[in-house]
Amino acid sequence: MFVPFGPVVAAAAAAAAMLAGPAAPAAGQVYRARADLVQLPVLVTDRRGEPVRGLTAADFEILDGGQARPVLTFAEGAPVGDSGVPLYLGILLDRSGSMEQDAREAARAVVDLVESMPEAVDVTLVEFDTSVRTSRFAPADYPQLFARVREPWPPGRETALFEAIARYVDGAAGRDGLHLLLVFTDGGDSGRGLNVDDLLGLLEVSNVLMHAIVYLEHEPLGHLRARHRYIMTTLAERTGGEAFFPSARGDVARIAARIRDLMAARYTLGYELPPEAQPGQFREVRVRLVDPARRQLRVRTRAGYAVPAP
């Protein structure tokens, strides 16, 4: 069924879900339901880009506006598995003319990745070319979803990529839990409406983790291909995700395994909203490791959040 979403949210609205109290925890995980709790998804990787697991709350320091804030809640691997926190899966599928040669391969990749994540509550499909079309599928309706993504479409003349990502962020803002967004595209955008900086601002304060599967093999070598690679890598990494560039059928299994590994290695840190925080204010956040011997590790999280209205 089609689920109409509203207009693109402002940064403050997108941040509201970050401050919602989390769901019931699994054994061994520390959660406290607090309306004034800021939650940060954190990924720690080594020099090879491999996730680092086994860290504890005492290993992290949170700086909000330059001031240290105590870690009140902590979980490793949440919300995947038995944490009780729902996982919502988003699929953005590029239907524009520039993706015509990769459309069949992208459809196969969508099916493979959805099937690899049976714990998802549902899948929101966002198809885009000149326009953006959004629909939502429960697990029982996945056969219709798979038929939909395999169906040939007349390719659109434009690519509303940034608008499609923003539309998904808008819909995710009102649903608690982790929103995993998988974007299948060649990275091009027609340049109407939002620009890269606008989109980065929305993603930084959203509750969306984005991975991009970017098809560049049929694009000519040169500036445009490099630009698309850079933009999609930047957008994904700003949310704590990654960009992947498949070139063969077997790459999809590797990408799926990598995404699941990254999800299982995520840490979720929560701390109290500072008393000086004002509604609508954007607050910069930094997370670092306490032990100087671990400073060579890379810590990825959001750049900050917007304080919602009471």
Side-chain angles (χ1 to χ4, degrees):
M1 62 177 178
F2 267 87
V3 181
F5 288 162
V8 176
V9 292
M18 293 177 58
L19 302 174
Q29 296 175 344
V30 181
Y31 279 119
R32 298 173 189 172
R34 294 274 297 274
D36 58 350
L37 195 71
V38 180
Q39 295 185 75
L40 297 176
V42 177
L43 180 67
V44 181
T45 56
D46 62 20
R47 291 179 177 177
R48 299 174 301 166
E50 295 302 315
V52 176
R53 304 190 188 189
L55 300 176
T56 68
D59 292 316
F60 293 94
E61 181 180 47
I62 300 173
L63 300 176
D64 184 311
Q67 300 297 314
R69 306 296 304 177
V71 178
L72 297 182
T73 70
F74 178 84
E76 180 180 2
V80 178
D82 300 323
S83 68
V85 180
L87 170 67
Y88 300 103
L89 184 58
I91 300 292
L92 258 68
L93 185 58
D94 191 338
R95 297 285 197 177
S96 65
S98 60
M99 275 284 290
E100 191 169 10
Q101 295 183 75
D102 295 303
R104 186 172 298 177
E105 174 59 31
R108 284 196 294 261
V110 168
V111 174
D112 289 347
L113 283 163
V114 170
E115 288 183 335
S116 75
M117 299 177 187
E119 68 271 35
V121 174
D122 58 31
V123 172
T124 297
L125 175 65
V126 183
E127 300 164 290
F128 62 95
D129 43 37
T130 304
S131 62
V132 179
R133 303 168 294 276
T134 303
S135 50
R136 187 172 292 154
F137 297 84
D141 300 323
Y142 284 179
Q144 292 95 314
L145 167 65
F146 298 156
R148 176 70 168 266
V149 300
R150 291 182 178 122
E151 180 182 352
W153 284 64
R157 290 176 295 176
E158 296 185 354
T159 309
L161 170 61
F162 295 171
E163 181 183 342
I165 295 174
R167 184 81 63 87
Y168 181 81
V169 170
D170 184 16
R175 306 176 84 193
D176 291 339
L178 174 64
H179 296 263
L180 175 62
L181 176 60
L182 305 179
V183 180
F184 297 81
T185 183
D186 60 5
D189 180 81
S190 296
R192 66 184 197 190
L194 295 172
N195 58 34
V196 175
D197 289 338
D198 294 332
L199 195 55
L200 284 172
L202 287 175
L203 289 171
E204 283 175 352
V205 298
S206 75
N207 58 340
V208 174
L209 169 64
M210 184 181 112
H211 293 295
I213 297 86
V214 189
Y215 294 87
L216 297 178
E217 289 300 301
H218 291 109
E219 287 197 9
L221 293 173
H223 172 74
L224 190 60
R225 181 189 282 208
R227 174 176 168 78
H228 291 175
R229 177 182 286 269
Y230 173 77
I231 287 175
M232 296 311 298
T233 298
T234 301
L235 292 174
E237 290 188 350
R238 196 63 62 92
T239 72
E242 289 189 2
F244 304 92
F245 303 91
S247 59
R249 177 73 170 91
D251 288 347
V252 173
R254 175 185 58 81
I255 291 170
R258 174 67 174 175
I259 289 174
R260 293 197 64 84
D261 193 37
L262 292 173
M263 291 171 64
R266 283 164 57 87
Y267 301 94
T268 304
L269 279 60
Y271 65 98
E272 188 175 25
L273 183 70
E276 69 272 16
Q278 299 297 315
Q281 177 188 29
F282 180 81
R283 298 189 62 85
E284 294 185 359
V285 172
R286 183 183 175 193
V287 178
R288 64 188 182 188
L289 295 171
V290 175
D291 186 355
R294 288 177 166 156
R295 293 290 169 84
Q296 78 278 8
L297 300 177
R298 184 184 181 191
V299 180
R300 285 157 50 181
T301 189
R302 305 200 182 283
Y305 63 95
V307 181

